[in-house]
Amino acid sequence: MVQFERFLEAVLSDARLEGCPPRLGEAIHYAVFPGGARIRPRLAMAVAKACGAKGGPIVASAAAAIEFLHCASLVHDDLPCFDDAEIRRGKASVHKAFGEPLAVLAGDALIVLAFETVACHAVSHPARLAALVSILGGSVGTRGGIVAGQAWEAETSIDLARYHRAKTGALFAGATMAGATAAGHAGAPWRALGEKLGSAFQVADDIRDVAGTAGEIGKPAGQDALLHRPNLALELGVSGAIAALDAMIEDAVSVVPECPGQIDLQAQIRITARSFLPESLARRAA
């Protein structure tokens, strides 16, 4: 992951060259570094490896694009018009550190940068580039992407499964599909894995919001109850939600498509899933 972090730094350095207003460049960098667990780009790269890829700029750019989209969604989620969150990843949220106008623009810029990054590094493989652009667009768009997921919170009636599939699952599906596509494989067979992992991560996030502390999760806790948002841990209780999470991880493992690294990827998914919850809650789940 050290090499991937350097790749992110290089891309952001290029984005902050002459022509980029300095404070906008600072806000973009602040939104990406230091990062969280980088679960989504790790997943994209793990799938690419399982499909036989040995890294390279296309794989790195696909993973970076997924991370930029994720970071953009966090910046926008934290805005006063949505969650009005003061902290993210254990530090002041972007709008608290730079002001609301720059936070909006930084999130927008990261979305654009995701597509620019793939376009620059996958240009020598036009078929893969076209597929990656389509996958990334679907992950963030109005037809089931993270924009749709955010917009469901403004509806008077919410289909919980559809909400979770868009709010969280879409970008996980984008990660698995982009990883396979970057490796030269069809992305579609990998959608189910991403969606199931996304659903599992959403349940983990529900648990963290209910049972975690701001110090553990790096953002305000108890937001779902405060904002009257759907939360499985509030519905089933923490123990019930943890049991559901365990079952969902095994369900995800079962749909990993056949590929050269299938067994290794299944093992890695189980290991990664342990990081979905803070240590205190992970011990409770064990």
Side-chain angles (χ1 to χ4, degrees):
M1 285 302 290
V2 172
Q3 188 173 356
F4 177 67
E5 294 294 315
R6 289 174 179 161
F7 182 84
L8 292 179
E9 280 282 11
V11 172
L12 290 185
S13 293
D14 287 345
R16 298 166 68 188
L17 293 176
E18 184 179 356
C20 177
R23 279 184 55 77
L24 174 61
E26 291 173 17
I28 293 169
H29 190 276
Y30 184 91
V32 178
F33 292 101
R38 307 285 197 211
I39 290 172
R40 295 157 190 80
R42 283 178 182 272
L43 179 60
M45 291 186 288
V47 167
K49 182 179 179 181
C51 288
K54 292 179 170 52
I58 299 180
V59 172
S61 69
I66 291 293
E67 182 63 8
F68 290 151
L69 293 174
H70 174 56
C71 291
S73 75
L74 299 183
V75 174
H76 287 164
D77 281 354
D78 290 340
L79 289 170
C81 61
F82 291 116
D83 289 1
D84 195 15
E86 296 188 356
I87 60 171
R88 171 69 68 175
R89 290 174 170 170
K91 62 181 184 177
S93 53
V94 176
H95 76 271
K96 282 294 181 182
F98 292 89
E100 191 173 346
L102 272 180
V104 172
L105 294 173
D108 292 346
L110 283 168
I111 294 171
V112 174
L113 186 59
F115 289 91
E116 287 182 338
T117 301
V118 167
C120 288
H121 292 89
V123 65
S124 60
H125 295 271
R128 296 187 202 182
L129 172 57
L132 284 170
V133 168
S134 179
I135 289 167
L136 295 174
S139 298
V140 297
T142 60
R143 294 179 295 173
I146 55 178
V147 168
Q150 191 72 49
W152 274 113
E153 294 179 6
E155 296 290 330
T156 56
S157 177
I158 300 178
D159 180 319
L160 187 60
R162 179 178 289 183
Y163 167 70
H164 282 171
R165 192 160 54 244
K167 176 84 173 182
T168 307
L171 206 51
F172 273 84
T176 54
M177 294 170 69
T181 299
H185 288 236
W190 292 86
R191 176 186 291 277
L193 172 63
E195 288 181 343
K196 289 178 183 295
L197 285 175
S199 295
F201 187 81
Q202 181 61 56
V203 171
D205 198 53
D206 287 354
I207 296 168
R208 285 153 57 93
D209 182 74
V210 170
T213 66
E216 286 179 317
I217 66 179
K219 61 180 181 178
Q223 290 292 99
D224 289 346
L226 181 65
L227 299 174
H228 306 289
R229 292 188 307 213
N231 182 303
L232 195 67
L234 290 174
E235 293 182 20
L236 301 180
V238 173
S239 294
I242 288 176
L245 173 62
D246 290 341
M248 293 168 83
I249 293 298
E250 289 306 310
D251 187 31
V253 167
S254 72
V255 300
V256 173
E258 288 190 16
C259 58
Q262 183 185 43
I263 294 175
D264 288 343
L265 180 59
Q266 288 172 324
Q268 186 173 344
I269 289 171
R270 289 190 176 99
I271 293 171
T272 301
R274 296 174 190 164
S275 69
F276 283 10
L277 296 175
E279 186 178 349
S280 62
L281 294 174
R283 286 197 302 268
R284 183 171 173 178

